[in-house]
Amino acid sequence: MKSLKDILKILVTVTLINYIQLPVAWADVLSPGESPVSYCFKIANLDKYPNYLLIAHIKSQNPNLPTYNRILQSGKCLGLNGYREYSDVYAIKKSLLKFQDIVKSEEGESIKDLNSKKALLIPAKNSIKSLRLLPDRYGIKEVADVLEIVAIAPKSLDLKYKEVVYTSKQGNSETKAYQVQDTRPLPSWSKTLNWFNLIILGISLVGIMMAYKKLKFDNKQN
């Protein structure tokens, strides 16, 4: 009798643990049940500020790794997929730059000697932090944050998160609007549920039902 109750408790616990939302991990080693995702971000309304350039200064949480910068382009998503990469974002008036200040390469356009132009840069309040891992049950391979410029003042660049676009491993995409800034909405579970998760859920439910019926039958016998 006692062993059946213990089995029933274990099955319920395992099922709940498998489907309860886990926080995104930032460790170097993959946690069980999580997969890496590709991350990028873009600014949706760059064209509304034609007199400015927006610059992403990309860094790593490892201070020994070199930094670099990219000029953000309208409609293009900038990836942050290096070792624990994040990005500070700045605005600068185009009129303050010379033609030779902009360097073109296969990776995109960048500002030459960005550190020497610190006094000209208008900083955004918060850094853009990449998303590295998501629970397997969502089946997501790509995550794209979409931001908007709220205002550009002489001393500050005001950005806000507008929406996030999730692309599944099957190629389907889903757009979720930000309800709270800096709190990324999760993808819809029902749209990305895969067969493996369904099998686990089914086995768990069958096990729970069988253990419950056996426990009920034993109670009647007693």
Side-chain angles (χ1 to χ4, degrees):
M1 181 73 66
K2 186 176 180 180
S3 61
L4 281 173
K5 289 182 179 179
D6 292 339
I7 292 172
L8 185 58
K9 288 179 181 178
I10 292 171
L11 286 170
V12 172
T13 302
V14 169
T15 302
L16 289 175
I17 289 174
N18 190 54
Y19 289 94
I20 196 169
Q21 173 58 44
L22 299 173
V24 174
W26 289 88
D28 293 328
V29 180
L30 290 180
S31 300
E34 291 183 321
S35 296
V37 295
S38 176
Y39 176 82
C40 69
F41 76 95
K42 62 182 177 179
I43 311 296
N45 59 343
L46 280 173
D47 294 339
K48 290 186 177 181
Y49 297 84
N51 298 324
Y52 290 88
L53 290 177
L54 259 67
I55 303 161
H57 189 196
I58 301 161
K59 307 174 184 179
S60 169
Q61 291 182 18
N62 182 347
N64 296 320
L65 293 178
T67 66
Y68 60 98
N69 73 83
R70 292 285 182 269
I71 297 174
L72 297 174
Q73 304 292 334
S74 179
K76 292 187 177 180
C77 213
L78 179 64
L80 296 179
N81 296 302
Y83 180 77
R84 295 191 176 192
E85 283 188 338
Y86 66 96
S87 176
D88 294 329
V89 180
Y90 301 93
I92 187 172
K93 285 188 176 180
K94 291 180 179 179
S95 59
L96 298 176
L97 294 172
K98 299 177 182 178
F99 175 78
Q100 58 267 30
D101 288 330
I102 297 177
V103 179
K104 296 183 179 181
S105 67
E106 292 182 359
E107 290 77 23
E109 295 183 341
S110 60
I111 301 296
K112 184 179 179 181
D113 298 326
L114 183 66
N115 288 332
S116 67
K117 299 173 177 59
K118 282 285 187 181
L120 306 176
L121 300 177
I122 304 170
K125 182 179 179 181
N126 298 321
S127 299
I128 307 297
K129 297 178 181 179
S130 63
L131 180 65
R132 297 178 57 245
L133 302 172
L134 273 176
D136 289 336
R137 63 181 172 276
Y138 293 120
I140 298 299
K141 68 173 182 178
E142 296 175 359
V143 180
D145 272 326
V146 181
L147 294 89
E148 284 186 331
I149 301 170
V150 177
I152 302 178
K155 298 290 185 180
S156 64
L157 167 62
D158 189 4
L159 297 174
K160 74 171 183 179
Y161 286 91
K162 178 185 178 183
E163 58 195 20
V164 57
V165 181
Y166 292 104
T167 302
S168 71
K169 294 175 181 177
Q170 290 76 32
N172 302 317
S173 63
E174 177 190 27
T175 301
K176 302 292 285 288
Y178 271 81
Q179 303 300 322
V180 179
Q181 290 296 295
D182 299 325
T183 302
R184 185 180 292 107
L186 290 168
S188 298
W189 178 19
S190 59
K191 291 184 180 180
T192 56
L193 192 64
N194 56 44
W195 285 108
F196 179 74
N197 287 330
L198 285 173
I199 291 170
I200 293 176
L201 178 60
I203 292 173
S204 299
L205 290 175
V206 169
I208 291 171
M209 290 176 63
M210 290 178 66
Y212 176 75
K213 288 181 179 181
K214 185 69 168 61
L215 183 62
K216 203 171 180 182
F217 176 78
D218 289 344
N219 287 336
K220 286 182 179 181
Q221 291 293 102
N222 294 333

